[in-house]
Structures are given as structure tokens and as C-alpha cells.
Amino acid sequence: MHTNHAEDALMRFYLSDLAMIDAQGLAVPVRLHANEWQDDSTALVALGGSKENRVIAGHVAKGRYVAIEFLLGVPFERNHGNPLAVAPPLNVPSMFWTWQSGYKFVRLDIGNDWSFHLGSTGCVSASAVRPPGEPCREPNAARIRLASEAPEVGTIAIDLDALLAHVDTTVADNCMAAYTESEACRALLANLGLNPATGRCLDGCGTQTVFRFAP
């Protein structure tokens, strides 16, 4: 995690549906190796604090690849289950809101002073302990594609300063819901390539500035 912003930043986020993109533009799925941080399709990355996970391990068919793609979040069909009845990495209470709202796709906490928690909004169900029957109005899950001459062996850097661009965490309120209602929240989603009003990618999330291959 690259940052000049805060040494006491803790960041956790889910990645799902990893795929390698071949020269013809076809997505070839990456099957993850199951461990305490990932199952076969979703991984939890943990940066900062006493317990970190900086590595995602899996395998993909041999081929020539030009990009890697992933969903920053948890797919709808997995997002609203009982976290007490699932295996890692979806069994982490601090990354879950309610059955109705689902998981926190991104959780960034800077000391005890400021937090950004991103998840789906506009999720309709009978109560907070009931999962929605239809996808949430604002999914807020960015699909990221990163080009590289050798994406299967590269290291992806997370630029925290880029995520916090145009956000003054010393004066901004926490951003954990109602993402269209504050300038800081709108900036955070835009930096991830998302339209804050719809929770969907702008231009394929190609405008995101947070994830990149390290030089």
C-alpha cells in the first residue's frame, strides 16, 4: 500500500471474480486456492495492523495475457448470506453490516478519527435480517481492469493517497452510507471509478486511480 497520508491507516477489501484477459480480450477465470483469507472466488486483502494479507494465490490456464480484471467487492449472490454460516473469507464480522446490506467491500480506518466503509446501498427486503430478493439499487462494486505485459507475475499497488485525493480527512465526516450526500463520499467513489449516484462504473471504471501495477 503506497501512501504518504497516514501511518496508522488500516485497509481491508474484498476482491472477487479474478480473471486474466488474453490478447483476444477474453476473460480466463483465476481459481483461487482456499485458505483463511480466500475461497475459490473471493479474497480478503488486509493492509496495516498486526495481521495482514498482501498475497492472493490461485491458478489459471496457460496463455498469453495482457491484463488482469477483478471485482472490488462481493457479488450479489454471495453478498447477503449469514456470515456465521460461511467459510473464510466471508466470516469476518467487522466486514459485514446486515443481511439486507451485505458486506463492506472496502473498509478504511485512519486511527480512531476517520473511516470510509463502502458497500451496496438501496437494498430492499422485509427487514435488516432478511436478504434482498433483487440486486441492490446501487451495487457500489467497481470492476477493475489493469493492463500489463505480464499481469500474471506483476505486483498490484494500492495508492491510498489517490483514493483520498480531494478528501480532507481532518474535517470530512465519516463516509459509510448516503454516498451522494457529501462531497468527500462523492470524491471517494469517483476515485474508484464509480458514479456515486448509481453505484456503477463510469467508463468501465477506467478512470479509477487507486489500483495500478507497481513499476
Side-chain angles (χ1 to χ4, degrees):
M1 181 168 62
H2 166 75
T3 180
N4 297 315
H5 189 86
E7 294 183 357
D8 57 349
L10 277 75
M11 190 175 187
R12 306 285 185 266
F13 56 90
Y14 282 110
L15 299 183
S16 300
D17 298 343
L18 271 76
M20 307 304 296
I21 310 301
D22 68 15
Q24 288 72 46
L26 298 177
V28 180
V30 176
R31 187 172 182 84
L32 302 182
H33 302 155
N35 58 42
E36 65 174 315
W37 294 102
Q38 58 187 54
D39 58 23
D40 62 356
S41 63
T42 297
L44 176 61
V45 176
L47 304 173
S50 58
K51 192 172 185 181
E52 292 192 313
N53 178 49
R54 294 173 173 261
V55 177
I56 298 175
H59 63 271
V60 65
K62 290 183 179 180
R64 178 178 175 271
Y65 299 111
V66 298
I68 189 171
E69 183 176 276
F70 55 85
L71 184 74
L72 181 63
V74 179
F76 171 75
E77 59 272 15
R78 306 192 72 198
N79 191 32
H80 302 277
N82 180 357
L84 301 178
V86 293
L90 298 179
N91 62 343
V92 181
S94 62
M95 293 297 291
F96 192 76
W97 273 317
T98 65
W99 284 21
Q100 184 182 68
S101 299
Y103 287 89
K104 302 171 188 178
F105 302 155
V106 177
R107 176 168 182 162
L108 172 64
D109 300 301
I110 298 178
N112 297 315
D113 302 318
W114 188 86
S115 296
F116 169 47
H117 298 174
L118 178 67
S120 295
T121 52
C123 308
V124 178
S125 65
S127 71
V129 294
R130 298 285 184 89
E134 297 181 354
C136 303
R137 187 174 62 246
E138 299 91 24
N140 295 322
R143 188 166 292 280
I144 309 295
R145 180 178 290 198
L146 302 174
S148 170
E149 293 182 358
E152 66 275 19
V153 296
T155 298
I156 296 175
I158 296 93
D159 191 332
L160 182 57
D161 292 340
L163 175 60
L164 296 173
H166 313 298
V167 178
D168 185 348
T169 60
T170 64
V171 297
D173 291 334
N174 290 335
C175 180
M176 295 186 283
Y179 301 120
T180 61
E181 295 182 8
S182 79
E183 183 177 352
C185 286
R186 292 193 296 271
L188 288 160
L189 267 67
N191 293 338
L192 288 169
L194 293 169
N195 181 340
T198 66
R200 300 179 186 277
C201 281
L202 282 167
D203 299 323
C205 284
T207 59
Q208 72 84 24
T209 56
V210 180
F211 295 87
R212 56 178 171 80
F213 274 103

